[in-house]
Amino acid sequence: MLYIYNSLTGEKEQFIPIEPGKVRIYVCGMTVYDLSHVGHARVMVVFDVVTRYLRVCGFEVTYVRNITDIDDKIIRRAYERGERIQELTARYIQALHEDSASLQILPPDREPRATEYIESIITLVQQLLDKNYAYQAENGDIYFDVSHFKSYGNLSGKRLEDLRAGERVEINEAKTDPLDFVLWKAAKPNEPAWDSPWGAGRPGWHIECSAMSMEALGVHFDIHGGGQDLQFPHHENEIAQSEAATGSKFVNYWMHNGFVRVDDEKMSKSLGNFFTIREVLHRYHPEILRYFILSSHYRSPLNYTELQLDAAKAAVTRLYTALRETAKEEDSVPVLMDWSDPLAIRFREIMDDDFNTPEALALLNEIKHELNRAREEGNTKWVNHLAKLLRSLGGILGLLNYNPEQFLRDPRQADGKSDNDFSSQAIEQLIAQRVAARKNKDWAEADRIRQILKDQGIAIEDTQTGTLWRRG
């Protein structure tokens, strides 16, 4: 039985889908005004693994991850760069897709964009006005009246009185309560706007996600996910406006991944410790970043340091080294999982406990040790069984999808540098020369070539089938 920690109740709960055998998931995606960073990578990897695991368990999953393509930040960035909003967002959406593909993130089943759902947003705002949960202020903006939604604060565990004590109304706002939030913004000069019953304007951020999620998955669905920073006020506001409009429960299980920190400080541009996915993948193989993200439980803080990434690199390298001479090209295709295997049963028990990926990775490393032991003992049948199991379980986490030689010879494996100019061809030529020297029993020449390779960060291993090499 799968148990998920529900942020709404603060407890692990047995997962029971609304419709047997089917799961509907919505995850808050990116606001596309810049390149995606490590925090975005964590959201994408975490819910990619959640989706992969649910599907392996036999559920029919509908996974929706939105794109926010109209927002104050987007408008401001386009103005700063002197370009059209559509050009800005199109460029960063393409970059997002490229980054997620590099990390082997499976594409969501649906990827709605806010600007495609203006009609649904207007309908939702009108429902809230009709039910007296919203009002139009003197400045033309439409706000949600938090005081009319009695369970406001349940997701974040906050009381209205405490929230009001820490809030203030901005000078340019006309809302009646500091906690009221905007649903529709009246048109301003030189900003994009759409016609509505209340005049030209554009949607507020919170209402976009309610409209997109309910349009794609219905007014009541199973799982809503996102980063911990969205729990309040974004997700709190989503619950309020959605349930107020429909009179129905919005979501059964709320999942939030923890913050990303850099050297134990909060990641932020102002501190200069802000890393894009592309910057990291220039130096580290995508599976190393993925392994690093999964090495912490999704609800825990993730501390980004080069030391941690190097540790992940070493761990993934050891896994691929163990798979050498076992994984054939055709074996890289995921196979059907045999859940009767005792090790597979343990993996499932681990993942059923709120997707405990650190323990799952520990099990992969345990299987690796057993595989190496079996190889030393010459038990080929057991080696092949463990190798297939290791690749299959790793695949559920989106790992071990490469041919081992391809991974181990990737230039980024050379001391974390992607610009290593010691080519594979040059390495192969030196190895061929060394093989010839060994054949001629010229051990001094063979040792000299080994040292040249070692100085270039190339490790070699002489096996019964030939000489293997890897970077790093």
Side-chain angles (χ1 to χ4, degrees):
M1 293 183 294
L2 172 62
Y3 284 81
I4 297 176
Y5 181 88
N6 190 348
S7 300
L8 185 62
T9 62
E11 296 179 350
K12 286 183 186 178
E13 300 177 359
Q14 182 182 347
F15 177 67
I16 302 174
I18 297 168
E19 186 176 354
K22 297 183 178 182
V23 183
R24 289 171 287 160
I25 306 176
Y26 182 88
V27 171
C28 287
M30 316 314 157
T31 301
V32 284
Y33 70 99
D34 207 341
L35 292 172
S36 300
H37 54 66
V38 175
H40 297 139
R42 190 179 199 192
V43 174
M44 290 192 289
V45 169
V46 163
F47 289 101
D48 180 60
V49 169
V50 168
T51 303
R52 285 171 182 261
Y53 184 66
L54 289 170
R55 285 176 175 150
V56 165
C57 291
F59 289 105
E60 180 184 329
V61 180
T62 302
Y63 176 38
V64 179
R65 190 187 68 218
N66 79 292
I67 288 176
T68 297
D69 60 348
I70 185 64
D71 171 85
D72 290 344
K73 293 177 181 177
I74 293 173
I75 295 170
R76 186 162 53 249
R77 181 62 55 86
Y79 176 77
E80 291 170 352
R81 297 190 175 180
E83 64 180 318
R84 296 173 62 245
I85 287 175
Q86 294 85 345
E87 294 172 350
L88 178 88
T89 56
R91 186 171 69 256
Y92 286 124
I93 289 171
Q94 180 180 344
L96 165 65
H97 289 160
E98 292 169 355
D99 290 343
S100 60
S102 295
L103 288 169
Q104 300 182 76
I105 307 295
L106 299 176
D109 299 296
R110 294 185 62 175
E111 193 176 50
R113 303 180 187 185
T115 56
E116 300 171 343
Y117 286 76
I118 299 299
E119 185 176 335
S120 298
I121 291 169
I122 290 172
T123 299
L124 188 55
V125 173
Q126 188 62 60
Q127 288 177 317
L128 292 168
L129 285 166
D130 293 343
K131 293 186 175 184
N132 203 32
Y133 280 104
Y135 60 91
Q136 187 166 20
E138 292 181 0
N139 63 358
D141 292 350
I142 296 178
Y143 290 93
F144 184 89
D145 188 343
V146 168
S147 67
H148 284 194
F149 190 74
K150 302 306 178 185
S151 59
Y152 191 84
N154 283 359
L155 179 66
S156 54
K158 300 178 184 292
R159 298 169 62 246
L160 288 179
E161 295 78 7
D162 296 335
L163 288 170
R164 286 194 180 97
E167 292 288 335
R168 62 187 179 88
V169 178
E170 298 291 341
I171 295 174
N172 63 341
E173 290 184 315
K175 56 186 179 181
T176 58
D177 187 306
L179 294 181
D180 293 349
F181 55 90
V182 67
L183 301 170
W184 185 263
K185 297 184 177 185
K188 295 180 178 62
N190 302 317
E191 286 192 356
W194 289 264
D195 291 332
S196 80
W198 329 287
R202 60 185 173 91
W205 175 39
H206 309 300
I207 198 70
E208 294 173 351
C209 277
S210 286
M212 287 185 283
S213 62
M214 292 194 291
E215 184 80 14
L217 300 173
V219 298
H220 181 205
F221 54 92
D222 299 290
I223 299 173
H224 194 313
Q228 187 180 340
D229 56 317
L230 300 182
Q231 188 168 349
F232 183 86
H234 185 52
H235 290 164
E236 192 78 70
N237 292 349
E238 276 191 67
I239 291 174
Q241 64 200 11
S242 301
E243 295 188 357
T246 67
S248 168
K249 184 179 179 66
F250 182 38
V251 173
N252 283 359
Y253 302 87
W254 286 86
M255 296 179 64
H256 294 95
N257 63 267
F259 291 110
V260 175
R261 300 176 66 81
V262 178
D263 291 324
D264 290 317
E265 289 187 302
K266 183 178 179 181
M267 185 177 70
S268 77
K269 289 183 178 179
S270 61
L271 293 175
N273 61 356
F274 185 87
F275 296 96
T276 67
I277 294 173
R278 296 187 171 201
E279 288 173 324
V280 179
L281 297 190
H282 182 70
R283 298 190 57 199
Y284 293 93
H285 191 283
E287 283 206 3
I288 292 170
L289 178 56
R290 191 174 179 108
Y291 187 102
F292 161 70
I293 289 170
L294 297 177
S295 63
S296 293
H297 191 276
Y298 78 88
R299 286 190 285 114
S300 302
L302 179 67
N303 190 38
Y304 178 97
T305 67
E306 286 196 2
L307 187 65
Q308 297 279 22
L309 278 169
D310 288 340
K313 172 184 172 181
V316 179
T317 299
R318 287 192 292 267
L319 290 172
Y320 271 113
T321 301
L323 289 172
R324 262 184 159 171
E325 298 187 290
T326 63
K328 304 296 186 292
E329 201 66 42
E330 63 270 21
D331 292 334
S332 64
V333 178
V335 297
L336 291 176
M337 192 65 245
D338 176 13
W339 289 112
S340 65
D341 186 288
L343 290 168
I345 291 173
R346 280 181 55 195
F347 182 90
R348 187 158 186 172
E349 289 172 346
I350 289 167
M351 291 295 287
D352 278 348
D353 183 14
D354 195 29
F355 309 101
N356 193 342
T357 57
E359 288 299 317
L361 293 179
L363 179 59
L364 295 189
N365 283 286
E366 185 179 324
I367 296 171
K368 173 206 68 183
H369 288 305
E370 185 64 27
L371 191 160
N372 287 335
R373 186 181 300 113
R375 178 181 282 117
E376 291 174 0
E377 295 171 353
N379 190 341
T380 303
K381 184 177 180 180
W382 190 233
V383 166
N384 290 335
H385 170 78
L386 290 172
K388 181 176 287 189
L389 182 65
L390 183 57
R391 291 194 300 275
S392 299
L393 296 177
I396 296 171
L397 302 178
L399 298 170
L400 305 180
N401 289 317
Y402 289 83
N403 177 280
E405 299 304 323
Q406 179 188 2
F407 175 86
L408 294 169
R409 297 178 182 185
D410 189 291
R412 285 168 290 191
Q413 292 298 99
D415 300 324
K417 297 176 182 177
S418 62
D419 56 354
N420 188 292
D421 58 1
F422 203 61
S423 69
S424 296
Q425 183 180 4
I427 295 167
E428 296 285 1
Q429 288 175 348
L430 282 171
I431 288 176
Q433 293 172 20
R434 181 174 175 274
V435 169
R438 285 167 57 86
K439 187 175 181 179
N440 294 328
K441 297 185 179 181
D442 188 348
W443 309 119
E445 176 65 6
D447 288 345
R448 186 185 72 83
I449 295 172
R450 176 190 282 273
Q451 188 61 47
I452 291 173
L453 292 167
K454 183 178 180 181
D455 291 344
Q456 292 292 333
I458 308 300
I460 62 174
E461 179 185 358
D462 296 315
T463 72
Q464 292 180 347
T465 58
T467 300
L468 302 176
W469 66 270
R470 65 176 176 83
R471 298 185 190 268

